[in-house]
Amino acid sequence: MSRPVTIVTGGSRGIGAATCLRLAADGHDLALGYVSHPEAAEGTAASVRAAGARCVTVRADTAEEADVERLFDTAAAALGPVTGLVNNAGVTGPLGRLADARTEDLRRVLDVNLLGVLLCCRRAAREMTALGSGAIVNVSSAAATLGGPGDYVHYAASKAAVDALTVGLAKELGPDGIRVNAVAPGLVETDMHATMGDPGRAERAAPGIPLRRPGAPAEIAAAVAWLLSADASYTTGTVLRVSGGR
Ligand code: NAP
């Protein structure tokens, strides 16, 4: 049987990098997208290749249609028909109340987290419909239902939109043999918290999490890998919460 070929957006660091490593171990060949950290992308790609998988890295800002098209074109040219997509790339902008947010930050979050996912899903739908099979996993957030008050209601709203498009696209593409699901992580130890201006955020939140700790990227990757796998062959349109009970 041929190996699955999976695109992971934002595969250079954090949850995306852990997902690439897990999928490599599970037998996928990978197209790893990144936007601004080529050295991190190459480091993750080296680990993926060391695990025996083929891997191509592509600088692709998912908010840019031409970049998304190039990501898919490169993946197919280097690895063969794309059978899987993990929409992992995401940003929050700076932490704070909506009243203090800058329009450019709101726009960027929606462009990356919503438009970017739609652009990637659209291209994947075209490719996978032609194949008659495929699986898409969108990385949402527990914030989609918690709302992110005081921190990032715009980010929470963008992730709630991802949940909605997951449900709708699963229904639209089910008859074509394509499954669409999402994983909604809670607080996970990655660079994202420092990027939004609060490096200690995940650890500090631990007492409020039923499992009393933030998640590890590999724990999110395991859920993504399951949803892409044949073990999830009857699962579509679901948002799988992986949040330590939060
Ligand atoms: P991270 O450590 O900040 O890594 C972000 C990744 O996304 C990097 O690989 C980055 O690439 C890439 N990226 C950012 N903007 C991009 C763009 N416009 N186009 C393509 N790639 C882009 O983040 P993370 O914590 O792993 O988050 C991954 C996903 O999980 C996001 O969707 C996030 O919303 C979601 N999530 C995270 C948490 C958490 O607590 N960490 C909780 C819930 C949901 P470069 O390396 O090139 O910059």
Side-chain angles (χ1 to χ4, degrees):
M1 245 175 68
S2 59
R3 293 164 60 90
V5 172
T6 301
I7 292 176
V8 179
T9 67
S12 44
R13 294 182 289 122
I15 292 168
T19 298
C20 287
L21 296 177
R22 172 61 192 257
L23 293 178
D26 286 358
H28 294 240
D29 290 329
L30 293 163
L32 186 164
Y34 68 94
V35 68
S36 57
H37 289 81
E39 70 300 333
E42 290 310 327
T44 303
S47 301
V48 162
R49 292 183 191 117
R54 295 186 297 160
C55 183
V56 59
T57 59
V58 184
R59 204 208 75 81
D61 181 340
T62 53
E64 298 294 331
E65 180 177 4
D67 283 17
V68 168
E69 295 299 316
R70 191 165 40 76
L71 173 60
F72 277 78
D73 290 346
T74 307
L79 305 171
V82 173
T83 61
L85 167 67
V86 181
N87 279 310
N88 165 77
V91 294
T92 64
L95 286 165
R97 296 168 69 86
L98 182 62
D100 302 321
R102 300 183 311 173
T103 305
E104 65 211 72
D105 291 328
L106 301 179
R107 200 183 300 283
R108 181 66 181 161
V109 167
L110 289 174
D111 278 356
V112 176
N113 295 6
L114 180 53
L115 180 64
V117 172
L118 287 167
L119 291 173
C120 290
C121 282
R122 183 179 68 178
R123 176 66 189 264
R126 291 172 178 163
E127 302 292 330
M128 293 174 184
T129 300
L131 275 183
S133 66
I136 298 172
V137 177
N138 298 320
V139 180
S140 174
S141 171
T145 56
L146 297 172
D151 291 339
Y152 40 44
V153 296
H154 56 294
Y155 169 80
S158 73
K159 294 298 191 177
V162 167
D163 291 357
L165 80 85
T166 298
V167 170
L169 200 58
K171 291 177 178 170
E172 193 167 297
L173 298 179
D176 297 305
I178 302 162
R179 297 184 300 104
V180 186
N181 292 289
V183 172
L187 282 158
V188 181
E189 290 279 19
T190 70
D191 298 340
M192 181 171 251
H193 309 288
T195 305
M196 63 178 101
D198 187 1
R201 181 180 157 76
E203 202 48 59
R204 231 180 25 256
I209 300 170
L211 289 184
R212 295 289 185 267
R213 63 174 179 84
E219 294 176 300
I220 310 306
V224 174
W226 178 73
L227 286 168
L228 285 178
S229 78
D231 283 345
S233 53
Y234 200 55
T235 303
T236 196
T238 197
V239 179
L240 176 55
R241 198 176 188 88
V242 185
S243 66
R246 208 155 161 262

